[in-house]
Amino acid sequence: MTIAVCPGSFDPITLGHLDVVRRARALFDEVVVGVARNASKTALLGVDERVRLVRSAVAGMGGVRVEPVPGLLSAFCADVGAAAVVKGLRGGADVDHEVPMALMNRHLSGVETVFVLGDPTLAHVASSLVKDVARHGGPVADLVPAGVEQAVRDALGVGPAQGGSTR
Ligand code: PNS
């Protein structure tokens, strides 16, 4: 049984994250989605809310479970017996961001990181942009799993989207 960890801050989960989880599940017997703290970001949503939204998004996907990561990702990977971390890449900026973390995790516990290329039609989808669009009253429902748009609007204290999707 090979286990992979798909980590992230998931603040909030997007369709891009979900695409990466599906790709990881195609490669590994079990995927543990790890909802972690990124020390360089201030989260909009609390960890319990992020875990709840990720669980709802992956409900029905066999072989996928969701857990909070209480500390170091490398220790979490050892705890769950993960053979690898799986992360998605949208472009060069992601490589620059991810490679130091992958090397640090390997330094700390020996865990390897496997990178998968995300769906190019989702290359513009990022949690930070979803929050920014929602904050300014724009529509994000077609960028995130069901229920996430409302959770983000509630956390931001903004009303319904002003414009519809452009598609
Ligand atoms: O979605 P993100 O914010 O790019 O994910 C980054 C995350 C949360 C996976 C990373 O910050 C992390 O692993 N945090 C847990 C604490 C940790 O292990 N820090 C050292 C990372 S090398």
Side-chain angles (χ1 to χ4, degrees):
M1 163 87 97
T2 55
I3 300 174
V5 169
C6 277
S9 37
F10 302 106
D11 185 46
I13 184 167
T14 68
L15 296 187
H17 291 129
L18 216 45
D19 173 54
V20 172
V21 172
R22 281 198 196 96
R23 292 176 194 280
R25 181 62 185 89
L27 295 172
F28 293 87
D29 297 319
E30 184 180 351
V31 171
V32 182
V33 182
V35 179
R37 178 167 178 267
N38 184 333
S40 62
K41 298 176 182 171
T42 302
L44 171 69
L45 304 169
V47 67
D48 291 349
E49 177 75 331
R50 286 182 274 142
V51 167
R52 183 185 73 77
L53 292 170
V54 179
R55 282 194 176 135
S56 167
V58 303
M61 285 177 68
V64 178
R65 63 188 167 93
V66 183
E67 304 291 345
V69 176
L72 282 175
L73 178 63
S74 53
F76 179 80
C77 289
D79 285 349
V80 303
V85 170
V86 176
K87 290 222 82 175
L89 299 176
R90 291 163 296 194
D94 281 349
V95 174
D96 291 345
H97 180 67
E98 297 293 344
V99 167
M101 289 195 289
L103 290 172
M104 180 59 80
N105 286 325
R106 191 166 67 184
H107 169 80
L108 290 170
S109 74
V111 69
E112 297 286 354
T113 298
V114 174
F115 292 107
V116 296
L117 295 176
D119 180 342
T121 67
L122 298 171
H124 60 299
V125 180
S127 300
S128 54
L129 290 178
V130 164
K131 287 179 283 191
D132 197 40
V133 171
R135 185 174 282 116
H136 291 89
V140 297
D142 55 356
L143 306 175
V144 294
V148 171
E149 179 180 46
Q150 191 57 53
V152 168
R153 292 196 188 291
D154 289 348
L156 289 168
V158 297
Q162 317 225 318
S165 168
T166 54
R167 290 189 292 146

